[in-house]
């Protein structure tokens, strides 16, 4: 018979082997909750999973109209249609922002479990991170059709290349980053509800900060603009270095290389991906520790 | 291994921080200053929810130095008034909240039922909710699959099992939830008053199921206000008061201690004296409720008569005065109203002259179900608005630990009163 001790957890006891075993023991709960999340989102809706496609598509159409007709964005290579360029980045970003928003409020919306039953709390923010992968998958299929259409009709715009094999790695980085931030945000949001407000505009801010509507090559222009404006030598490089640690940059540029390829995106941007991975891991590990340290008060502050 | 200790609680304490009174502002300038400062204050307040740097007056000990042991196969009842720390104790034992000090050692698989139907999602069907609720309570999908038929059968809602739960009646929801809980197979079962719901027939079934569990060598921890239920299910009890364990013994002993202990608690005596107000022509001065020994009490057995003593003052004579006395239950339902006109011609107060007067009367025994009741007293003038209104002036609690029917009383949740009715066979 297993013996269980309940007492105040000390800060250095944050994660033990037992905790991992317990997480594994509750895997059925994780699956059930994921299933619930997936089932519930589109219950009593006519279009159902169609929404997973419509949301990023509509956004893509708006951006394409906005940035090709109204505010013309200078592209590196005119062979890639703006629509493709934009949608390839929007699909992973939409996953990130919807997972982050859902995960941040997850502890609050599941408050009734937290105050009534015990289970490893880490499961709760993890559920939307996995559940939103379903929407992501559907959007990826649509993206696939779109890429195939351009591949067939406009030779040279999209090229199938071997880098596509790195896609799972990029998705993994995306998931780690999303989960890491969500751990921080959800643990804070249950005590400070302000986070629910912050997260919506933070997601929007990140969308414009990441090279989604504008090509990555424009970064140089921006940083050099800052350098000449401030008059500090070498600040452009400094900014570019910091920027490369923003995990979405490596993921998005990686997605473009893997899916568009061709002469516009010939090589995987490994330096960006490496820095992004380091950052994601850092956020994830610190997130787990932060979450665990806050865990014991969830039931009291919820 | 009958005498094996399965739960050992040592020096368990739990501290909470309670909110302090908000400041009031009387000028626009100070309100504006407070508004600008409020983000900082709110931040500090929210932050304080989780930190305890000082022992201010906003610190509250929900549990203080609790020690006890539970042996395998024991059914332990936890008794105490509201706010005694029963729920906090169960929350610590079920690992929902962390203790501040002390430790608990548990040997065996625990299932805790602090609420019926935790995690039910209204948009999912009954079957999907069985999975959801079951896994939340710690079952695996495999176990649920094996017990699915049994659970559906026990709940009696088979016809609706593939309908979203939001279309269920509340009774059906409870039945489904309880059947899931009833099919958990833990070694230790922690239950918090979940039996207070559901209809007669179903509660009957639940009690039966729980007794099976208790007799099957499982350990049970049970919190309830219902002494009859505790008596039926448990073989030992502990009494909590203001976060401390004050007694531990057999159920009968503890119920006795509970009754005696509560009669003397401060702030909630069965007696009140009001300061006279000169401007009122007709007013209540004193009200007491007493037990059969004419001692002031707030806890009564359901077999006991409740004796009321009332004093009032008339400073201006009026033929239309009367006193309206009512008893209201927990659900805000008025059980009965009595006035000084009952069984007399006209209102007695109206015939009285200037001065202080007293009235005495008894409630019949065998009238109340176990539970909390409050008393409202209105001093009235027949053709004019109320002279004096006393809502919730006193309250009392009925416990039922003696009568033969007390056990069966459990099944009568839908009834409001419980008169003693004896069936005669013809």
């Amino acid at each position: 018979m297993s013996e269980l001790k309940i007492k105040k957890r000390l800060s250095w006891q944050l994660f033990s082997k037992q905790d991992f075993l317990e997480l594994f023991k509750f895997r059925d709960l994780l699956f059930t909750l994921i299933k619930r999340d997936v089932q519930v989102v589109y219950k009593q809706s006519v279009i159902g999973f169609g929404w997973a496609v419509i949301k990023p598509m509509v956004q893509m159409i708006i951006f394409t109209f906005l940035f090709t007709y109204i505010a013309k964005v200078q592209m590196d290579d005119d062979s890639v249609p703006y629509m493709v360029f934009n949608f390839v980045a929007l699909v992973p970003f939409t996953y990130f922002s919807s997972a982050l928003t859902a995960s941040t409020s997850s502890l609050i919306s599941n408050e009734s479990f937290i105050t009534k039953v015990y289970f490893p709390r880490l499961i709760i923010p993890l559920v939307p991170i996995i559940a939103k992968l379903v929407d992501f998958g559907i959007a990826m299929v649509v993206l696939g059709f779109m890429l195939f259409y351009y591949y067939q009709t406009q030779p040279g715009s999209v090229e199938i290349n071997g880098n596509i094999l790195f896609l799972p790695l990029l998705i993994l980085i995306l998931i780690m980053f999303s989960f890491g931030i969500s751990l921080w945000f959800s643990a804070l949001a249950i005590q400070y509800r302000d986070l629910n407000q912050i997260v919506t505009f933070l997601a929007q801010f990140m969308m414009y900060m990441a090279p989604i509507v504008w090509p990555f090559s424009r970064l140089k222009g921006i940083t050099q603009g800052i350098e000449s404006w401030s008059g500090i030598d070498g600040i452009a490089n400094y900014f570019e270095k910091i920027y490369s640690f923003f995990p979405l940059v490596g993921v998005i540029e990686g997605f473009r290389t893997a899916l568009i390829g061709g002469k516009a995106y010939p090589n995987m941007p490994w330096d960006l991906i490496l820095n992004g991975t380091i950052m994601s891991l850092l956020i994830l590990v610190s997130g787990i520790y932060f979450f665990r340290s806050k865990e014991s008060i969830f039931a009291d502050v919820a | 291994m009958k005498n094996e200790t399965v739960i050992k609680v040592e020096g368990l304490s739990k501290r909470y921080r309670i909110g302090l009174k908000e400041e009031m502002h009387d000028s626009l300038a100070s309100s504006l200053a407070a508004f600008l400062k409020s983000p900082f204050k709110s931040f500090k307040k929210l932050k304080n929810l989780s930190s305890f740097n000082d022992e201010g007056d906003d610190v509250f000990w929900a549990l203080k130095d609790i020690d006890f042991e539970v042996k395998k196969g024991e059914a332990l009842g936890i008794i105490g008034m509201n706010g005694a720390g029963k729920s906090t104790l169960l929350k610590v034992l079920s690992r929902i909240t962390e203790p501040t000090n002390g430790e608990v050692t548990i040997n065996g698989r625990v299932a805790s039922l602090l609420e019926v139907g935790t995690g039910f999602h209204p948009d999912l069907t009954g079957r999907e909710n069985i999975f959801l609720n079951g896994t939340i309570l710690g079952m695996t999908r495999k176990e649920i699959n094996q017990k699915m038929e049994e659970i559906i059968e026990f709940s009696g809602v088979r016809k609706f099992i593939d309908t979203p739960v939001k279309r269920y009646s509340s009774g059906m929801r409870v039945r489904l939830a309880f059947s899931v809980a009833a099919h958990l197979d833990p070694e230790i079962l922690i239950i918090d008053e979940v039996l207070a719901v559901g209809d007669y027939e179903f509660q009957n079934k639940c009690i039966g199921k729980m007794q099976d569990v208790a007799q099957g060598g499982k350990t049970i921890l049970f919190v309830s206000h219902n002494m009859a239920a505790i008596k039926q299910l448990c073989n030992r009890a502990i009494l909590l008061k203001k976060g401390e364990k004050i007694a531990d013994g057999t159920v009968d002993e503890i119920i006795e201690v509970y009754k005696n202990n509560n009669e003397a608690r401060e702030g909630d005596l069965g007696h009140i004296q009001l300061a006279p107000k000169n401007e009122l022509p007709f007013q209540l001065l004193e009200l007491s409720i007493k037990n059969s020994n004419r001692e002031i009490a707030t806890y009564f057995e359901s077999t006991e008569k409740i004796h009321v003593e009332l004093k009032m003052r008339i400073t201006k004579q009026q033929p239309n005065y009367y006193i309206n006395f009512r008893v209201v239950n927990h659900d805000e339902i008025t059980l009965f109203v009595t006035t000084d006109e009952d069984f007399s011609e006209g209102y007695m107060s109206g015939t009285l002259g200037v001065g202080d007067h007293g009235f005495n009367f008894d409630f019949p025994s065998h009238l109340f179900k176990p539970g909390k009741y409050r008393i409202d007293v209105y001093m009235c003038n027949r053709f004019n608005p109320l002279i004096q209104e006393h809502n919730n002036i006193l309250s009392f609690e009925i416990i039922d630990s003696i009568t033969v029917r007390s056990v069966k009383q459990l099944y009568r949740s839908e009834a409001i009163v419980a008169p003693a009715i004896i069936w005669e066979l013809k």
Side-chain angles (χ1 to χ4, degrees), chain A residues 16 25 33 36 60 81 87 89 106 114 138 162 165 180 182 194 201-202 211 234 247 255 272 281 283 286 296-297 300:
Chain A
S16 63
K25 215 184 89 191
L33 288 177
R36 176 201 68 173
M60 173 206 56
F87 200 54
S106 61
I114 292 170
I138 295 169
L165 296 173
S182 298
D194 311 51
F201 65 72
L202 187 82
F255 258 70
L272 293 177
L281 275 174
I283 293 173
S286 63
S296 58
I297 59 143
D300 300 341

Side-chain angles (χ1 to χ4, degrees), chain A residues 17-42:
Chain A
K17 193 181 149 209
Q18 213 185 348
D19 291 320
F20 274 112
L21 287 176
E22 197 175 55
L23 215 53
F24 182 69
K25 215 184 89 191
F26 276 89
R27 64 192 181 283
D28 277 344
L29 175 61
L30 179 68
F31 292 140
T32 319
L33 288 177
I34 291 167
K35 215 177 136 199
R36 176 201 68 173
D37 266 26
V38 174
Q39 279 174 332
V40 162
V41 180
Y42 300 117

Side-chain angles (χ1 to χ4, degrees), chain B residues 227-243:
Chain B
M227 296 301 141
I230 296 250
K231 254 186 129 161
Q232 192 186 8
L233 271 173
C234 305
N235 43 33
R236 200 185 122 203
I238 59 173
L239 175 60
L240 296 183
K241 188 182 177 187
K242 289 183 179 165

Side-chain angles (χ1 to χ4, degrees), chain A residues 169-194:
Chain A
L169 175 74
L170 297 171
I171 295 172
L172 187 70
I173 300 168
L174 180 67
I175 294 171
M176 286 195 318
F177 178 54
S178 309
F179 189 39
I181 297 205
S182 298
L183 285 172
W184 278 93
F185 278 28
S186 58
L188 283 168
I190 195 162
Q191 194 167 2
Y192 308 102
R193 304 285 156 106
D194 311 51

Side-chain angles (χ1 to χ4, degrees), chain A residues 12-282:
Chain A
W12 48 268
Q13 293 174 316
L14 288 181
F15 230 98
S16 63
K17 193 181 149 209
Q18 213 185 348
D19 291 320
F20 274 112
L21 287 176
E22 197 175 55
L23 215 53
F24 182 69
K25 215 184 89 191
F26 276 89
R27 64 192 181 283
D28 277 344
L29 175 61
L30 179 68
F31 292 140
T32 319
L33 288 177
I34 291 167
K35 215 177 136 199
R36 176 201 68 173
D37 266 26
V38 174
Q39 279 174 332
V40 162
V41 180
Y42 300 117
K43 271 253 161 111
Q44 233 182 43
S45 121
V46 180
I47 303 175
F49 281 101
W51 286 113
V53 179
I54 293 171
K55 272 188 286 181
M57 286 267 270
V58 167
Q59 210 161 25
M60 173 206 56
I61 291 164
I62 293 170
F63 285 144
T64 306
F65 180 73
L66 209 65
F67 293 105
T68 53
Y69 296 106
I70 296 174
K72 199 158 171 49
V73 174
Q74 189 74 52
M75 299 290 288
D76 309 332
D77 196 315
D78 282 332
S79 63
V80 183
Y82 187 84
M83 225 183 237
V84 175
F85 160 84
N86 185 237
F87 200 54
V88 168
L90 262 183
V91 170
F93 182 78
T94 306
Y95 164 74
F96 167 75
S97 82
S98 59
L100 175 65
T101 326
S103 193
T104 299
S105 57
S106 61
L107 286 176
I108 300 165
S109 48
N110 289 300
E111 186 193 313
S112 61
F113 305 170
I114 292 170
T115 54
K116 295 293 182 213
V117 246
Y118 173 79
F119 55 87
R121 306 308 194 203
L122 217 53
I123 287 178
I124 292 287
L126 182 58
V127 168
I129 298 290
I130 300 175
K132 293 290 177 197
L133 282 175
V134 176
D135 283 10
F136 175 69
I138 295 169
M140 281 298 275
V141 172
V142 175
L143 176 64
F145 279 117
M146 184 174 158
L147 291 169
F148 186 71
Y149 170 82
Y150 278 100
Y151 176 72
Q152 290 285 320
T153 58
Q154 287 184 31
S157 62
V158 173
E159 265 168 42
I160 294 170
N161 66 88
N163 283 329
I164 198 163
L165 296 173
F166 294 116
L167 212 54
L169 175 74
L170 297 171
I171 295 172
L172 187 70
I173 300 168
L174 180 67
I175 294 171
M176 286 195 318
F177 178 54
S178 309
F179 189 39
I181 297 205
S182 298
L183 285 172
W184 278 93
F185 278 28
S186 58
L188 283 168
I190 195 162
Q191 194 167 2
Y192 308 102
R193 304 285 156 106
D194 311 51
L195 264 293
N196 281 329
Q197 315 296 327
I198 292 171
V199 75
T200 48
F201 65 72
L202 187 82
Q204 204 152 40
F205 174 71
M206 281 191 176
M207 186 170 79
Y208 292 107
M209 207 171 98
I212 293 170
V213 296
W214 48 273
F216 180 63
S217 57
R218 292 293 301 273
L219 182 70
K220 271 230 145 32
I222 298 166
T223 52
Q224 265 151 15
I226 296 173
E227 186 167 310
S228 61
W229 173 77
S230 66
I232 304 164
D233 271 349
I235 199 166
N237 282 334
Y238 190 65
F239 269 118
E240 278 160 40
K241 192 82 195 157
I242 293 176
Y243 188 74
S244 70
F245 279 94
F246 179 28
L248 288 179
V249 180
V251 170
I252 286 166
E253 288 304 295
F255 258 70
R256 287 188 175 135
T257 314
L259 296 172
I260 301 173
K263 62 182 190 315
Y265 295 97
N267 300 313
M268 265 297 180
W270 288 115
D271 50 338
L272 293 177
I273 294 171
L274 180 69
N275 288 354
T277 310
I278 294 170
M279 196 64 194
S280 302
L281 275 174
L282 221 66

Side-chain angles (χ1 to χ4, degrees), chain B residues 364-377:
Chain B
S365 60
H366 282 303
L367 176 65
F368 299 101
K369 284 193 354 170
K372 275 210 147 198
Y373 298 88
R374 66 159 217 250
I375 294 170
D376 296 346
V377 178

